[in-house]
Amino acid sequence: MKKIQVNINSVISTVPENEIHALESAAAKPALEKLKSGTGEGNDFLGWLDLPARTPEHHLDEIIAVANDLRNSCDYVVSVGIGGSYLGAKAVIEALADSFDAYAPVKPGSPKVLFAGQNIGEDYLYELQEFLKDKKFGIIVISKSGTTTEPAIAFRLLKEQLESQVGKEEAGKRIVAITDAKRGALRQLATEEGYKTFVIDDNVGGRFSVLTPVGLLPIAVAGYDIKKLVKGALDMQHECLNSGDDNICELYASTRNALYRAGKKTEILVNYNPKLHFFGEWWKQLYGESEGKDHKGIFPAAVDFSTDLHSMGQWIQDGERTIFETVISVEKSAHEKAIPSDAANLDGLNYIAGKRVDEVNKMAELGTRIAHVDGGVPNIRITIPELTEEYLGQLIYFFELSCGISGYILDVNPFNQPGVEAYKSNMFALLEKPGYEEATKAIQAKL
Ligand code: PA5
């Protein structure tokens, strides 16, 4: 099977190749060893490292069986979660789905997956509930901690709605909870209500959890092959976790750190396929939460080209020279579409008549790369053969392992997220949550 590839040729005018390889030997290889031996900071969160190899077939079969129950009993399944309990499933489903699936009628046995709990938008929740009023729906509620406010609000509303639409007993059959084995309000609720549950292991952090039931169940409900997804990740685990030289995870991690040291403080993940928009969102969380700490870390941004060349293109070409790009290039599109010839040729497009749309897209990609590199924006290029479950599995594991290596090169703990708590405690203080009385007084004094 083909593999994803990493090419750094368009970086070496900014950072010489020998510098990157020196960093690889001096820092990336020891970082990978630290991950494997579990001797680095955050070593209680390394469950993702060999997860593809540790995932037994029967576990995947159980997830598929529960997904099939939901597929057979629902037209819509709302996946409730935020951050790591949302982005992985959303990224994979969007990458594999037909771009207009949302507007197509529901087919029996093939429900549409909707998302909630990833915001506190009152209009979003109101409109979702209005939409679901006359629909057969189920809920997957996902929260590792079981205490996160956003999904808790959405779940409270949706649970009440489902129970009033189909009764408590039937609602209980259409709700699946994914949470900690023992702790948290969601675990207690699931036990009391008798929901089917899956466990998120303690040693797998939210942003590394897409290959656990957190990501796999919604992806299976959407009709995609989670065995192939995990198989792709396993291939990448075999390729990169124990490999000697030519390790693409070490190469990517070293290159981005070398660029960071050379003053390139922002990494823009670029795609030329709109199906990868949410993959960029997943990647932003993975790298942002893992590396942005101790007042360090590359700022992860993402754009969709060529769409954003018409909005962000000017800045990238000509703004402050503190950025580099990592381009995900999909070699082969799933469908073919040629540009038709037109007798009048008023739009002047006949010079590309007969060419495939993807050929034009590839020239946009190549032209942009040359322009950006000439303009002082180094490019790392990641090539993925096609958008399939296997290759997405490879890409997910590639970015996860590279992230662990990169975080250790940067000398941060890549597996905690202390900064995420600050807004939560302020929000709780402002909402006068019991237990926050002193914080409420302190914050009100600031207003
Ligand atoms: O990476 C993380 O740990 C966070 O972003 C979480 O994924 C997010 O806050 C959701 O947490 P939980 O699954 O506990 O509701």
Side-chain angles (χ1 to χ4, degrees), residues 82-85 143-145 148 206-207 285 289 417:
I82 194 166
S85 295
S143 179
K144 183 173 154 68
S145 62
T148 308
R207 58 190 174 274
Q285 186 203 5
E289 273 194 355
Q417 54 284 328

Side-chain angles (χ1 to χ4, degrees), residues 6 20-21 23-25 27-33 36 240-257 398 401-402 405-406 409:
V6 176
I20 294 168
H21 291 312
L23 190 62
E24 225 177 319
S25 311
K29 287 194 184 301
L32 179 57
E33 283 315 310
K36 282 161 55 177
C240 292
L241 192 57
N242 295 309
S243 83
D245 292 330
D246 298 328
N247 185 325
I248 56 172
C249 294
E250 290 176 359
L251 180 65
Y252 173 56
S254 306
T255 307
R256 60 197 299 283
N257 274 281
F398 163 79
L401 184 58
S402 303
I405 296 171
S406 185
I409 296 177

Side-chain angles (χ1 to χ4, degrees), residues 336-355:
E336 296 192 6
K337 181 62 70 184
I339 296 160
S341 178
D342 182 84
N345 194 29
L346 291 176
D347 53 12
L349 276 188
N350 274 356
Y351 78 104
I352 49 172
K355 284 192 194 298

